[in-house]
Amino acid sequence: MGLIISLLAIGIMGAFFVFTVMRKMRHRCALSEFLPVSFLAGSAIAAYQLFWYYLAGVKYTLWTVSMAPFVFAASAVYFLAFRRNTVKGAFLPLKPFKGMILLEKLLLAGMVLQTAWIVFLVLPLPVHSHDAVANYALKARIFYFNGGIPAGFFSWPEAAVAHPDYPLFLPLLMTWIYEFIGFNDLWINVIMPVIYAAFLLLFYGLIKNFFSRTYSMLVVFLLATLPQLADYATLIHADLVLAVFVTCAFIYFMLYVRTMDRAHLALSSVLFGFSLWVKNEAVVFVSAFVLALSVFTLRQSGKSRGKAGSTAGILTALGLIAVIAAPWFAVKAAAGAVNSDINLAELTAARIWRNVKDIPILLDLFQQQVFGPKKWNIFWILVAGCAVWKRKYLWKGEIFYATLFLLVSSIGYFAGYMCTTGNNLFFYVNTTISRFMLHFSGISMFFLASLVYEDVSKDLGVRWKAAPGCSVQKLVRPK
């Protein structure tokens, strides 16, 4: 019961936050988008709350943790009781199962079974993998039994705590839930399948604004059944969480490119901002986002479209990201927390050159992942093949921004490998490349689906049915 209450509390906090954004910017969306994005936002708010308690010296207890959900719940009750029309008008009509064809029912059933299987796999086992225990579960245990983050925690040596410079989203979220359920290494595992399910639902809720309902469900099914994605839904690990945040943030940005709806940009910026609390690698994706947004603004300015060419969008995005991420970076800088993998004090020309000479190792391990169906089916082969097939469209229309984002992010990860200092490049690539590719999986799936959407519809002779409230538009081909 405590676990259910904690998840509901997370959802309530996120729902009120997202609803406030929608109401402020006069945005309407479907429940298939609102509910999962509320859960993700609520999870981030829970972690953010505990971090501010640490800064304020407030001890972690069930009472102090419950204060924020109580305030949000009271506000929600007020709106439901006295502003019901405002709430009702914020959502598109809900008809999720109306007119579903057999293929859609089979795809939905497959995803439900996949999620149920993942829950079944995590329930009998405590947190057990090495990285899950060292980087996340141990920290959450320390925070819970200490009643907060210990003084000087970010200056502790690696012998005491693994990677004290790692962002604390997952350990703080686990601590938040522990306050409701007590210390339980079995039930805490359920948080990952819940995040996985929320991701699939939000991914569908977002991409149906670009594609038909049947096609969207097919794309989500292909993503859900990637072995690597499903495997990480059974582990307490931040790599899946980062993939969730950056994927959804990026698709919100693509919706902003299409609609110029400020709510889309705000939600994109918020999710990118919170991704910086999940893993250090999020810096690469945030940089790529800022670059893509800047290019979009400049191109719109050249077309003289009034407010579309304004810099207000960039300033809004940077402001939201800065407000969200600043506390974490300030604390880490003040504590002098050092990244043992990329230590700038040890980064020399000789070390970079040694990494450069090991690039063939990186490429060999990368191609093993691309052509490794055990983890990826033939997903990366399809992405690469369709990119070559549709190369004339990669830099045209809306797909331009997806190509730019993926290219810049890939370059950023490659540069990160070249700057590693703690061990040899083989060690880092061999232990991280499959997880790093997971970060790109959701965005790459959207990229792939965008490239072949019209051809699949045309070649199969299928009349794809548009999702309710959705206007299917061309994404790739210019007029």
Side-chain angles (χ1 to χ4, degrees):
M1 180 59 70
L3 178 64
I4 295 175
I5 293 174
S6 68
L7 296 178
L8 287 175
I10 288 172
I12 289 171
M13 291 191 297
F16 189 79
F17 171 79
V18 175
F19 177 75
T20 301
V21 173
M22 292 168 53
R23 183 169 174 267
K24 180 73 174 177
M25 299 184 176
R26 299 179 181 179
H27 174 73
R28 299 178 72 209
C29 71
L31 286 176
S32 59
E33 174 189 342
F34 177 78
L35 294 178
V37 76
S38 296
F39 180 80
L40 295 182
S43 300
I45 292 171
Y48 204 60
Q49 175 193 359
L50 292 193
F51 192 79
W52 275 102
Y53 279 179
Y54 157 71
L55 295 178
V58 178
K59 194 174 182 63
Y60 298 172
T61 65
L62 178 59
W63 168 246
T64 58
V65 165
S66 302
M67 289 176 62
F70 178 79
V71 172
F72 281 105
S75 302
V77 169
Y78 165 77
F79 271 95
L80 289 173
F82 301 104
R83 306 290 294 275
R84 188 174 302 175
N85 291 335
T86 301
V87 175
K88 185 177 180 180
F91 302 103
L92 297 172
L94 179 62
K95 299 177 181 179
F97 305 110
K98 182 178 180 180
M100 288 184 68
I101 62 174
L102 178 60
L103 175 59
E104 293 172 346
K105 294 177 182 178
L106 291 174
L107 293 172
L108 179 59
M111 288 183 281
V112 171
L113 288 175
Q114 175 81 324
T115 305
W117 175 247
I118 290 172
V119 174
F120 173 77
L121 289 177
V122 304
L123 283 180
L125 295 174
V127 181
H128 59 282
S129 72
H130 174 269
D131 282 348
V133 173
N135 294 324
Y136 310 106
L138 180 59
K139 294 176 183 177
R141 183 179 301 189
I142 292 172
F143 300 163
Y144 174 69
F145 286 109
N146 186 65
I149 301 174
F153 174 82
F154 300 104
S155 301
W156 287 7
E158 289 274 346
V161 61
H163 302 292
D165 70 298
Y166 275 17
L168 295 178
F169 173 88
L170 198 50
L172 288 176
L173 178 61
M174 294 170 67
T175 305
W176 200 90
I177 295 175
Y178 280 148
E179 295 295 340
F180 287 86
I181 68 174
F183 181 75
N184 189 318
D185 258 0
L186 290 174
W187 284 110
I188 198 65
N189 278 312
V190 176
I191 190 61
M192 295 308 296
V194 173
I195 291 175
Y196 168 83
F199 176 40
L200 298 183
L201 183 57
L202 181 55
F203 189 76
Y204 168 75
L206 294 178
I207 67 172
K208 72 175 184 176
N209 292 291
F210 297 91
F211 315 125
S212 65
R213 185 173 69 183
T214 306
Y215 189 79
S216 297
M217 293 186 69
L218 176 61
V219 171
V220 178
F221 177 81
L222 293 176
L223 179 64
T225 53
L226 286 178
Q228 182 78 341
L229 189 77
D231 287 346
Y232 270 80
T234 66
L235 301 173
I236 293 291
H237 216 290
D239 288 291
L240 174 62
V241 182
L242 180 62
V244 170
F245 273 83
V246 298
T247 299
C248 298
F250 171 75
I251 301 178
Y252 269 120
F253 165 67
M254 291 297 291
L255 280 171
Y256 174 70
V257 168
R258 167 168 292 190
T259 65
M260 293 301 300
D261 188 334
R262 292 182 304 148
H264 291 147
L265 179 61
L267 290 171
S268 176
S269 303
V270 167
L271 292 177
F272 271 122
F274 279 124
S275 73
L276 293 168
W277 287 82
V278 178
K279 291 208 73 179
N280 290 325
E281 290 84 353
V283 173
V284 173
F285 292 107
V286 171
S287 301
F289 163 66
V290 172
L291 176 61
L293 178 60
S294 301
V295 172
F296 172 71
T297 302
L298 288 173
R299 295 180 75 180
Q300 294 301 98
S301 297
K303 296 177 182 179
S304 300
R305 291 189 177 180
K307 66 178 181 180
S310 169
T311 59
I314 296 178
L315 295 177
T316 299
L318 291 176
L320 288 171
I321 292 172
V323 168
I324 292 171
W328 163 242
F329 283 99
V331 168
K332 187 165 71 168
V338 177
N339 189 313
S340 59
D341 299 326
I342 302 178
N343 188 341
L344 297 180
E346 300 176 3
L347 187 61
T348 63
R351 178 58 203 240
I352 294 176
W353 177 242
R354 188 168 66 178
N355 290 336
V356 169
K357 290 193 295 184
D358 285 341
I359 286 178
I361 295 174
L362 189 160
L363 296 177
D364 179 54
L365 292 171
F366 176 71
Q367 67 85 21
Q368 289 180 33
Q369 292 292 321
V370 171
F371 296 100
K374 183 178 179 180
K375 290 184 177 180
W376 298 106
N377 296 329
I378 60 170
F379 172 63
W380 293 112
I381 299 174
L382 288 174
V383 172
C386 289
V388 173
W389 176 34
K390 295 291 186 180
R391 59 189 179 278
K392 292 189 296 184
Y393 303 110
L394 295 181
W395 300 101
K396 296 180 180 179
E398 295 172 10
I399 204 69
F400 167 90
Y401 301 100
T403 305
L404 177 64
F405 185 89
L406 285 171
L407 180 62
V408 173
S409 301
S410 300
I411 292 173
Y413 270 61
F414 178 80
Y417 273 132
M418 294 300 100
C419 293
T420 53
T421 57
N423 210 318
N424 60 65
L425 188 63
F426 171 79
F427 170 81
Y428 283 117
V429 179
N430 189 50
T431 55
T432 64
I433 194 165
S434 64
R435 294 189 282 116
F436 284 178
M437 292 175 72
L438 179 63
H439 303 168
F440 288 83
S441 59
I443 301 171
S444 298
M445 182 64 79
F446 174 77
F447 175 73
L448 172 63
S450 302
L451 284 175
V452 301
Y453 175 50
E454 293 182 28
D455 292 281
V456 170
S457 302
K458 179 180 178 181
D459 294 344
L460 293 182
V462 177
R463 182 178 178 272
W464 302 97
K465 297 180 69 177
C470 165
S471 175
V472 179
Q473 305 177 37
K474 292 183 178 180
L475 179 68
V476 179
R477 289 188 171 87
K479 292 182 179 180

